[in-house]
Amino acid sequence: MNVNLAKSFTDQMKSNAANNRTQFKQYLKSLKDSGIDVIIMPTTPEVARDIVSGEAKCGMADLRSSLQMSQFTSLANLLDVPAITLPVGHDATHDMPVGLTVMSASQ
């Protein structure tokens, strides 16, 4: 994570994040208690984009885009549950790879 971004988090923001994490974990427990073992979801919210000139050499510089593309995979990390991403094919329009994430409903 960008260090300057992390330094800008207020105590209220950290408290809200902790509360959200607790609520998500409780929801996952309720899913598990109702017999659901895994959650299947797309790996990213949209199809991968083309690499912009210069990014291949030094990596993606757009933090917002990077965070948006990783929001589903970050969920498993945030909730401390196992997950795996599987390639499932390519987008028909842009021929970009598409992935599927299988995430446990419990720790």
Side-chain angles (χ1 to χ4, degrees):
M1 175 180 280
N2 182 306
V3 175
N4 290 328
L5 177 64
K7 288 180 182 179
S8 72
F9 294 161
T10 65
D11 287 341
Q12 182 62 46
M13 293 166 75
K14 293 173 190 175
S15 176
N16 289 345
N19 290 337
N20 287 339
R21 182 176 192 257
T22 299
Q23 288 177 356
F24 274 120
K25 287 181 90 62
Q26 289 171 347
Y27 182 69
L28 277 183
K29 183 179 180 331
S30 72
L31 291 176
K32 181 67 175 174
D33 291 346
S34 67
I36 296 173
D37 294 321
V38 297
I39 298 166
I40 298 173
M41 60 188 164
T43 299
T44 58
E46 58 189 67
V47 176
R49 62 178 181 79
D50 290 329
I51 296 174
V52 177
S53 177
E55 284 185 347
K57 184 169 57 173
C58 58
M60 180 183 276
D62 182 1
L63 180 60
R64 182 178 305 276
S65 292
S66 180
L67 290 173
Q68 286 174 332
M69 289 299 282
S70 66
Q71 64 184 315
F72 295 158
T73 53
S74 296
L75 183 61
N77 294 332
L78 174 70
L79 299 176
D80 196 26
V81 296
I84 188 168
T85 296
L86 306 167
V88 294
H90 288 82
D91 168 67
T93 305
H94 301 100
D95 196 36
M96 297 299 278
V98 176
L100 183 72
T101 297
V102 180
M103 182 174 85
S104 173
S106 66
Q107 293 180 324

